[in-house]
Amino acid sequence: MKKLRRIAFYSYDDQGLGHVRRSIAIAHALSDAQPSSILLMAGAREASLFRLPEGTDTLALPAPATDFNGRRRAPSLGLDMAGTLRVRAGALRSALAAFEPDVLIVDRLPLGVHDELAASFGVLRAMGTRLVLGLREVLDDPASVRAEWDHAGALETVRRNYHAIWVYGDPAVYDTAVAYDMPADVRAIIRYSGYLDRHARERSVTGDSASRRRELGLPDGRLALCLLGGGEDGLRVAEAFARARRPAGTTGVVVTGPFMPSDQRARLAEAARGRDDLAVLGFVPDAELLVPLADDVVAMGGYNTTCEILASGARALIVPRTKPRREQLIRARALAARGAVDVLHPDRLSPEALSEWLAAGVAGRARPASAPIDLDGLGRLPALLDEVLALTGARSTRSAASETKRFDRPGRRDAELARSASA
């Protein structure tokens, strides 16, 4: 009997679920190609709410005292930042040592949150684990990314420890290596997968859109959809959409997302009360599956939502987040330049602007044809995994001792974390 591959995922703990959902989609693609044993390690406990591949389990890490936009929150263990991160780093190291993965796929941060993966690198090297850094195509504006990576020593970490970098995008839309001025030796291990169409398999099965509408309580007729990602900062978009004039016969649907504060959800529900042209839905697992049902989509510009819009071919207006990162704005403008979406800067957001855009869709105003965009990322990743597993020899050209000297001095790390927590 063929030995199951062991694949571990480390997923970045952003406030939303985008990173975790992307890791789950990749896990499905790899497991579909070849049955595997999979461990998903993330701070988002909600990961277990989504459908996981057979043979997958999760390790939920305790949340630090601040989210990753720098806002304070109650630490889940009642520990200070340094204590929480010690627990997280220890849990990661123990889990990886016990699981003995053939490959670890790390989302976005080469060292993990607050460098918490550093203590595991020696163990992973000793086990012969291959390391892959997975990046969405746009991280932030180039100057900010270069400054962040220089401060964290990210490129040196990649050189020492990683065997491949997977960029989940199409370089014809946004060339990550060029935009962030990556050096030649790092570019040599970059592979562009194409965008990740998470629902290609579901759409390949003949579906009844009318029955899906009924399941969600949506009427027949034209549908305008408003997607807010996690919803934590989507109220302005949602309220402008709710107040916009919709063409006759059009029903507006707002999906608030799981992280919209309850008082904001209540405001939107009140706005929809007694109206048959506006519905407000809360947490909908795989909310992007609604996109193929819609005639028009107004959305924030997160990676997963954007991929679903591209795959469905829906007419879409992106109202991107611009703070604390400009990632969504950069992605939206790059796609707009290829004719794939329309963009409205949030400074220009208003019910009137959305009304005008919705009316243009009914009027059938011609749009330029969009240039082809590579959406076969999930189909391409199994071959990229085979390539990584076939590599021989260590990626690192430096000794584990030098790495330990830099990262594994408990007194120094505790002092640094204590300063970070009090900053």
Side-chain angles (χ1 to χ4, degrees):
M1 183 176 178
K2 191 173 182 179
K3 177 179 176 291
L4 283 178
R5 299 178 305 183
R6 297 192 178 197
I7 306 171
F9 289 84
Y10 170 87
S11 195
Y12 174 60
D13 300 60
D14 206 346
Q15 195 173 24
L17 293 174
H19 296 270
V20 171
R21 293 171 77 177
R22 183 163 59 244
S23 293
I24 292 172
I26 295 168
H28 274 290
L30 299 181
S31 180
D32 286 349
Q34 181 177 327
S36 303
S37 178
I38 297 172
L39 176 64
L40 175 64
M41 303 175 294
R45 298 177 183 86
E46 294 86 352
S48 60
L49 298 176
F50 297 97
R51 184 177 62 85
L52 300 174
E54 185 176 350
T56 299
D57 210 337
T58 59
L59 173 66
L61 302 170
T66 63
D67 66 32
F68 299 98
N69 291 323
R71 292 187 290 263
R72 290 191 176 275
R73 60 188 174 195
S76 57
L77 292 179
L79 297 173
D80 61 11
M81 176 72 87
T84 301
L85 292 174
R86 280 198 300 272
V87 171
R88 288 170 60 100
L92 287 166
R93 189 176 189 278
S94 296
L96 289 167
F99 185 58
E100 299 183 19
D102 298 303
V103 62
L104 170 63
I105 301 171
V106 176
D107 188 64
R108 190 185 182 284
L109 301 175
L111 280 164
V113 176
H114 294 289
D115 297 359
E116 65 187 359
L117 279 176
S120 298
F121 284 155
V123 171
L124 293 166
R125 184 184 294 108
M127 294 187 299
T129 300
R130 300 293 185 252
L131 267 69
V132 173
L133 179 63
L135 301 176
R136 62 178 184 245
E137 86 294 27
V138 183
L139 303 173
D140 199 350
D141 66 87
S144 296
V145 171
R146 286 194 291 267
E148 178 184 336
W149 282 30
D150 287 346
H151 177 74
L155 291 177
E156 189 61 21
T157 297
V158 169
R159 289 185 174 108
R160 288 175 169 176
N161 300 286
Y162 283 83
H163 298 76
I165 299 174
W166 294 348
V167 176
Y168 308 128
D170 180 349
V173 177
Y174 192 83
D175 193 326
T176 307
V178 172
Y180 301 123
D181 195 24
M182 294 187 182
D185 61 331
V186 174
R187 293 189 192 199
I189 63 170
I190 290 177
R191 302 291 183 268
Y192 292 90
S193 68
Y195 286 94
L196 307 183
D197 177 6
R198 297 189 303 127
H199 297 302
R201 182 172 56 180
E202 286 88 340
R203 282 193 299 271
S204 68
V205 178
T206 301
D208 183 349
S209 61
S211 65
R212 292 175 65 189
R213 280 179 175 246
R214 287 194 296 272
E215 289 172 8
L216 295 165
L218 303 177
D220 295 333
R222 193 174 182 88
L223 191 68
L225 180 64
C226 180
L227 291 175
L228 308 173
E232 63 273 15
D233 58 354
L235 182 64
R236 282 191 64 233
V237 178
E239 288 192 323
F241 181 86
R243 292 167 54 198
R245 296 184 307 278
R246 276 171 291 284
T250 300
T251 300
V253 178
V254 178
V255 182
T256 64
F259 298 118
M260 177 174 281
S262 58
D263 61 325
Q264 296 181 9
R265 289 199 303 271
R267 282 169 58 178
L268 292 171
E270 183 62 30
R273 192 182 307 278
R275 296 175 56 177
D276 58 8
D277 68 335
L278 181 65
V280 176
L281 306 179
F283 176 58
V284 179
D286 291 329
E288 290 88 349
L289 281 173
L290 293 171
V291 173
L293 303 180
D295 298 280
D296 306 291
V297 180
V298 175
M300 299 181 72
Y303 179 89
N304 293 338
T305 300
T306 301
C307 284
E308 186 60 31
I309 288 169
L310 295 175
S312 70
R315 177 175 180 266
L317 177 67
I318 304 297
V319 186
R321 178 189 296 121
T322 59
K323 296 178 182 178
R325 294 183 180 274
R326 294 170 60 83
E327 164 224 340
Q328 293 190 5
L329 179 62
I330 294 168
R331 175 181 299 114
R333 286 176 170 171
L335 290 169
R338 297 180 69 81
V341 299
D342 296 321
V343 181
L344 179 67
H345 193 283
D347 290 348
R348 297 179 54 237
L349 174 65
S350 69
E352 293 72 26
L354 297 188
S355 299
E356 181 179 348
W357 184 81
L358 290 168
V362 172
R365 296 177 196 167
R367 294 185 59 206
S370 63
I373 294 174
D374 186 349
L375 297 171
D376 194 30
L378 292 176
R380 198 169 283 117
L381 287 177
L384 294 183
L385 177 62
D386 290 342
E387 178 187 24
V388 169
L389 293 176
L391 293 174
T392 58
R395 166 69 181 154
S396 175
T397 59
R398 307 209 180 190
S399 68
S402 67
E403 184 177 357
T404 300
K405 181 178 179 181
R406 180 178 177 187
F407 293 115
D408 294 345
R409 292 168 58 184
R412 176 182 171 186
R413 292 293 300 144
D414 290 353
E416 290 175 351
L417 293 172
R419 286 195 297 272
S420 173
S422 62

